[in-house]
Amino acid sequence: MARGKLRIYLGAAPGVGKTYAMLSEAHRRVERGTDAVVAFVEHHGRPRTEVMLHGLEQIQRRELEYRDTVFTEMDVDAVLARRPAVALVDELAHTNVPGSRNGKRWQDVEELLEAGIHVISTVNIQHLESLGDVVESITGVRQRETVPDEIVRRADQIELVDMSPQAIRRRMAHGNIYQPDKVDAALSNYFRPGNLTALRELALLWVADRVDEYLQEYRAEHSIRSTWQARERIVVGLTGGPEGRTLIRRAARMAAKGSGSEVLAVYIARSDGLTSASPKELAVQRTLVEDLGGTFHHVIGDDIPSALLEFARGVNATQIVLGSSRRKAWQYIFGPGVGATVARDSGPDLDVHIVTHDEVAKGRGLPVARGARLGRTRIIAGWLVGVVGPVLLSLLLTSIANGPGLANDVLLFLFLTVVAALLGGQLPALASAAVGSLLLNFYFTPPTHTLTVSDPKNLVAIVIFFAVAVSVASVVDLAARRTHQAARLRAESEILSFLAGSVLRGETTLDALLERVRETFGMETVALLERAGDVEPWTCAGRAGTDHGTPLLRPEDADVDMPVGDHMALALTGRVLPAEDRRVLAAFAAQAAVVLDRQRLVGEAERARELAEGNRIRTALLAAVSHDLRTPLASIKASVTSLRSDDVAWSPEDEAELLAGIEAGADRLDHLVGNLLDMSRLQTGTVTPLIREIDLDEVVPVALGGVPEGSVTLDIPEELPIVAVDPGLLERSVANLVENAVKYSPDGAGVLVSASALGERVELRIADRGPGVPDSAKDRIFEPFQRYGDAPRGAGVGLGLAVARGFAEAMGGTLAAEDTPGGGMTMVLTLRAAPGRPPARPDLPAQATT
């Protein structure tokens, strides 16, 4: 039996219209005669969605009892027995009630697909398992219900249901998503414009990546090598020269003209050791392309044009941007250059742009590589010129009657020897000298066609030719080797200079340094290994690259290892380095050890700074709060002195007033000292919360004992989930927040304390109608000894909000400040719901996350 096909409507947030689109598709199929049924659709009380269910056959749901409550779930057996052609299954990421056939709804869908039933389903982007951490960082909500990405990726069709954040919020305000009493809380929590925009971007990017993935699979299956210009991808070829910045900026301007264009900068290095490019310039260009929104790629390849074209076709690029050659005119004897070769071999599917710049024709120096570093093409060309060239020249000269003469013949053969030396090095040149001498003797020295020389002068000429040819070959090769050594020394000095400067300035992390080692030497993996003693096992302090097979655990397992002291080594895999590269590698290894030591010292310094900060706070306590502590003490002392005075006969009313003042001063002093002790505990890290499960309505009312009666309005629903907190810390936090809100609220304007569930979190919001706080000061008000505005000294020491945030974070929660709609400030205290206690279904934010 053929497997059924899965179609998914993917949305960025609840309310974008996924279920509506799914039902519309079902109506279209039914009108065409397709047997389509509703296996499970949840309309959430939305009238427009509910109307779309009319006219569609619905499978009876299965009822399950769980914790004295009856729930309904999709009846998989009933759907399988009905065997429709198409089944509509809403909310793919839904978790089934315990006792169901499967734990997850996507597992139910898998059964239907295996039975040959086509399925249409819906899911929101925040329910994809791989995006859980990203969504939590955006919305502050950890999704309980998730679906593996692979399930969604395997869908035969994925259709994005898109809607702008403004349109979603308008739908929300019109009551098309939630009931009117839930709208305000939804708009100020999960459905904020920033949240919706970020979720929408996630959905668009995920679908775009899925489209790219499908396109690459299709091209691979059909062996398509040509570029399909469905999306502009611009590859910038970098040489490490200063013109690279111009090329990157030009490519960025080209990409800006088309929506969705990408810029990929690629530097291709040879696989034979140190590169001749400036590492400082490459680092600058890497930063520039990343700042402009592109990506930087480092590729190893001996044939630069071929490697560049292979990379461009591999990423389905549409354009290549190269710089005009820096060669001088005479240097073109070594070949047409990278730009001309790429343009010739690119084919009709790749556009090649040659960009002019300030370094055009300023020269790149003589060829810096000899021997094996010349590359196979250059060596073959040298041997052809040195061996085949003299033969062809002999045939040409012998076909000419009354040739140019022996002297000119010698010069022509000498020219071929020089060219062979320039192309292939010393060995082809020596071969050219030997072959040339034999051919001169055989064809051009009387008696011809023999190796006998009758005239001593001709013999001297041939000997001198051979000596000059060998000398010229040796000089040319020696000059090339010296040039190569100079280039290597220049590259080494630039690398070491840049490396030392960046390390001394603290700009290079250990991972970045190891990645630079890997790129510089063209290795696969680089690891810094260390151990505590001679017999202790090795541990990895840092790594760059990808392990293929067995992880690198010992220096002996590497292709190259460079000891750093007695108990540290830099290990590299990929190939064996020549001896001349180990000098620079030793410098890298020493710098890696320095960077590792510095990182550890920075960590120790940070810990010392924290201790010093704690000492500073404790030292500053008396100096900062002496006035605030003495004020209530002075009031208490004055009242006690007055009561003990025998000169005045106090009436009962006066005595009561003085006693009330003493009590108020004592309470104020107790509150100040409590906050000071709490802040001291937070600064020294001695706060140990005792987490237990408790209802908010057991703690919050108790925390309001210190504020005037009638100044606070409570709105805590009974169906809220139980929270996992330390009741004592929570009470102190709420008390400080409420007292702060009451203090800044104008007369006649009460403070609203409300609570709501948001997935696995519970939010407690304390809203006042005071003057509010600008965004730039919202974080500063949580610092110790900070009071916003012109609050008088007697208003407190500025520790209440700092203590409240410290206690909230100690319990695993958060505390943040927001603007109150209509004016004022709202403190949002987010707490963890008790594990295994799902939010009640009627609660708004819980619905927003399904």
Side-chain angles (χ1 to χ4, degrees):
M1 180 182 298
R3 177 182 169 88
K5 294 185 177 180
L6 175 61
R7 178 172 182 171
I8 292 179
Y9 287 92
L10 177 69
V16 296
K18 303 179 302 300
T19 305
Y20 190 93
M22 178 179 66
L23 294 173
S24 298
E25 175 64 20
H27 279 285
R28 286 192 292 270
R29 296 199 181 196
V30 170
E31 290 173 1
R32 295 196 301 264
T34 303
D35 182 17
V37 301
V38 176
F40 186 95
V41 168
E42 184 63 62
H43 57 74
H44 296 295
R46 299 166 187 165
R48 295 176 180 270
T49 305
E50 187 175 3
V51 169
M52 293 297 294
L53 288 169
H54 297 166
L56 296 176
E57 178 185 348
Q58 301 185 46
I59 302 295
Q60 184 69 30
R61 300 184 185 183
R62 181 185 179 190
E63 293 185 351
L64 296 170
E65 185 175 348
Y66 178 68
R67 292 185 177 178
D68 300 328
T69 304
V70 177
F71 298 90
T72 60
E73 295 288 359
M74 180 176 67
D75 193 337
V76 180
D77 292 327
V79 178
L80 292 175
R82 170 65 174 76
R83 295 197 63 80
V86 179
L88 276 62
V89 183
D90 205 5
E91 299 179 350
L92 185 63
H94 172 74
T95 300
N96 294 330
V97 174
S100 301
R101 182 188 185 97
N102 296 301
K104 290 285 191 176
R105 185 163 293 163
W106 61 264
Q107 295 172 328
D108 296 338
V109 169
E110 283 293 307
E111 284 199 39
L112 300 182
L113 295 173
E114 290 296 333
I117 300 174
H118 301 323
V119 176
I120 305 178
S121 187
T122 64
V123 71
N124 281 332
I125 191 67
Q126 64 264 33
H127 294 299
L128 295 182
E129 199 167 78
S130 65
L131 299 178
D133 295 338
V134 179
V135 172
E136 184 179 10
S137 66
I138 294 171
T139 64
V141 180
R142 183 68 182 184
Q143 298 297 325
R144 295 182 298 108
E145 297 182 329
T146 59
V147 58
D149 289 44
E150 184 60 26
I151 300 299
V152 182
R153 287 184 180 274
R154 286 207 309 261
D156 298 277
Q157 295 184 58
I158 299 176
E159 184 168 336
L160 178 66
V161 182
D162 189 29
M163 182 176 289
S164 69
Q166 294 78 11
I168 297 177
R169 287 173 62 85
R170 282 197 301 271
R171 292 192 63 192
M172 177 72 69
H174 293 160
N176 294 332
I177 300 178
Y178 295 121
Q179 298 300 320
D181 59 334
K182 305 292 186 180
V183 170
D184 290 339
L187 291 176
S188 60
N189 286 278
Y190 195 85
F191 286 83
R192 299 172 186 168
N195 288 1
L196 296 176
T197 302
L199 292 174
R200 186 189 190 197
E201 183 179 19
L202 276 179
L204 292 170
L205 291 175
W206 194 91
V207 173
D209 288 342
R210 181 66 184 91
V211 172
D212 277 347
E213 181 181 321
Y214 174 75
L215 181 60
Q216 294 297 339
E217 292 176 357
Y218 182 85
R219 286 165 54 85
E221 290 174 358
H222 293 78
S223 301
I224 299 174
R225 298 290 297 165
S226 61
T227 300
W228 286 3
Q229 300 185 2
R231 183 178 183 182
E232 289 291 346
R233 286 186 175 89
I234 305 173
V235 171
V236 185
L238 302 178
T239 65
E243 77 279 1
R245 307 183 200 182
T246 302
L247 304 184
I248 292 171
R249 293 189 179 97
R250 179 72 178 114
R253 290 195 297 271
M254 293 168 59
K257 296 178 181 179
S259 178
S261 299
E262 295 182 56
V263 175
L264 302 90
V266 57
Y267 171 71
I268 300 175
R270 297 187 183 275
S271 60
D272 54 3
L274 290 175
T275 64
S276 60
S278 167
K280 181 177 180 180
E281 184 62 32
L282 280 179
V284 171
Q285 293 175 16
R286 178 196 291 267
T287 302
L288 176 60
V289 71
E290 290 174 351
D291 289 343
L292 293 175
T295 56
F296 184 91
H297 303 268
H298 189 278
V299 177
I300 305 299
D302 291 322
D303 190 338
I304 304 299
S306 298
L308 180 60
L309 288 171
E310 185 69 22
F311 175 82
R313 293 193 174 101
V315 298
N316 199 27
T318 57
Q319 302 180 60
I320 298 179
V321 175
L322 299 173
S324 297
S325 178
R326 287 185 285 145
R327 294 180 172 189
K328 293 184 181 297
W330 65 269
Q331 290 178 306
Y332 281 95
I333 64 174
F334 302 110
V338 173
T341 305
V342 170
R344 181 192 64 203
D345 299 338
S346 61
D349 54 345
L350 268 174
D351 296 334
V352 179
H353 302 266
I354 305 297
V355 179
T356 58
H357 49 84
D358 294 337
E359 303 297 321
V360 174
K362 289 188 176 180
R364 299 181 57 184
L366 289 169
V368 299
R370 311 301 328 155
R373 301 180 187 276
L374 286 171
R376 181 177 300 176
T377 303
R378 289 281 297 275
I379 294 176
I380 292 176
W383 280 101
L384 289 176
V385 171
V387 177
V388 180
V391 175
L392 297 178
L393 180 61
S394 299
L395 294 176
L396 176 64
L397 294 177
T398 54
S399 64
I400 301 175
N402 300 322
L406 182 60
N408 292 325
D409 294 339
V410 169
L411 291 178
L412 291 173
F413 278 94
L414 183 61
F415 172 75
L416 290 179
T417 301
V418 174
V419 173
L422 292 174
L423 288 176
Q426 189 173 22
L427 290 179
L430 293 177
S432 177
V435 173
S437 299
L438 292 175
L439 292 176
L440 282 172
N441 186 1
F442 191 81
Y443 287 104
F444 306 103
T445 304
T448 60
H449 301 95
T450 67
L451 295 179
T452 304
V453 179
S454 59
D455 190 348
K457 295 181 180 180
N458 294 336
L459 178 61
V460 172
I462 294 176
V463 171
I464 293 176
F465 162 74
F466 184 80
V468 170
V470 171
S471 301
V472 169
S474 300
V475 170
V476 171
D477 185 73
L478 180 62
R481 292 181 183 276
R482 292 289 184 264
T483 304
H484 170 64
Q485 293 174 0
R488 284 189 56 85
L489 292 175
R490 178 182 61 82
E492 290 180 11
S493 63
E494 287 190 0
I495 290 173
L496 296 177
S497 175
F498 177 71
L499 177 64
S502 61
V503 170
L504 291 176
R505 292 190 299 269
E507 299 173 354
T508 303
T509 63
L510 180 59
D511 290 341
L513 180 62
L514 296 180
E515 180 63 24
R516 185 172 296 279
V517 174
R518 189 187 70 83
E519 292 182 355
T520 299
F521 295 97
M523 307 299 284
E524 293 180 356
T525 306
V526 178
L528 183 63
L529 306 177
E530 64 174 347
R531 59 182 177 180
D534 294 336
V535 296
E536 297 295 328
W538 291 93
T539 59
C540 182
R543 182 186 302 274
T546 304
D547 288 325
H548 298 286
T550 306
L552 190 59
L553 301 178
R554 300 182 307 166
E556 295 81 4
D557 300 332
D559 295 320
V560 181
D561 68 286
M562 178 59 64
V564 187
D566 296 330
H567 303 127
M568 187 176 293
L570 190 65
L572 302 88
T573 61
R575 62 187 178 86
V576 178
L577 288 181
E580 56 189 0
D581 287 350
R582 295 182 65 88
R583 180 174 64 253
V584 179
L585 182 61
F588 271 111
Q591 293 289 8
V594 171
V595 170
L596 180 61
D597 289 340
R598 190 186 71 241
Q599 287 184 353
R600 291 173 175 172
L601 289 175
V602 169
E604 294 177 2
E606 180 63 21
R607 290 190 290 272
R609 188 196 64 78
E610 293 176 356
L611 293 175
E613 181 67 15
N615 291 331
R616 185 191 66 81
I617 291 292
R618 287 192 293 271
T619 304
L621 284 178
L622 291 179
V625 303
S626 59
H627 180 274
D628 300 283
L629 287 173
R630 295 173 64 180
T631 297
L633 285 174
S635 175
I636 294 172
K637 181 174 178 60
S639 298
V640 172
T641 301
S642 299
L643 288 173
R644 296 187 61 187
S645 175
D646 298 331
D647 299 336
V648 180
W650 300 103
S651 65
E653 293 79 7
D654 293 336
E655 289 183 357
E657 183 178 351
L658 290 174
L659 289 174
I662 293 173
E663 184 178 11
D667 290 341
R668 183 65 183 163
L669 185 61
D670 179 69
H671 181 73
L672 291 173
V673 172
N675 274 341
L676 291 174
L677 293 176
D678 290 340
M679 180 52 60
S680 177
R681 292 166 59 200
L682 289 171
Q683 292 290 340
T684 55
T686 57
V687 176
T688 305
L690 301 176
I691 304 297
R692 66 185 182 89
E693 298 180 3
I694 193 170
D695 284 322
L696 276 181
D697 54 11
E698 297 181 27
V699 179
V700 176
V702 179
L704 307 183
V707 297
E709 187 175 354
S711 60
V712 177
T713 301
L714 281 178
D715 181 16
I716 300 180
E718 294 182 358
E719 63 270 13
L720 278 179
I722 292 176
V723 293
V725 296
D726 183 316
L729 298 184
L730 177 60
E731 180 184 338
R732 292 298 302 272
S733 297
V734 175
N736 283 347
L737 294 175
V738 172
E739 289 179 9
N740 185 77
V742 171
K743 178 173 61 179
Y744 285 100
S745 291
D747 295 337
V751 173
L752 175 62
V753 178
S754 60
S756 61
L758 191 63
E760 295 181 350
R761 316 286 284 183
V762 174
E763 281 192 354
L764 186 66
R765 306 174 73 86
I766 298 94
D768 64 57
R769 293 294 179 181
V773 175
D775 293 339
S776 59
K778 280 188 171 64
D779 286 333
R780 195 166 62 249
I781 61 176
F782 292 103
E783 297 177 3
F785 308 111
Q786 294 292 326
R787 289 178 294 187
Y788 180 71
D790 55 354
R793 290 290 300 176
V797 296
L799 288 177
L801 295 182
V803 169
R805 171 174 275 189
F807 283 170
E809 293 176 349
M811 294 184 292
T814 59
L815 177 62
E818 296 180 356
D819 293 330
T820 302
M825 185 170 65
T826 299
M827 292 292 175
V828 183
L829 178 61
T830 305
L831 305 170
R832 293 181 300 172
R837 303 293 184 98
R841 297 286 294 179
D843 193 72
L844 165 70
Q847 292 181 10
T849 59
T850 59

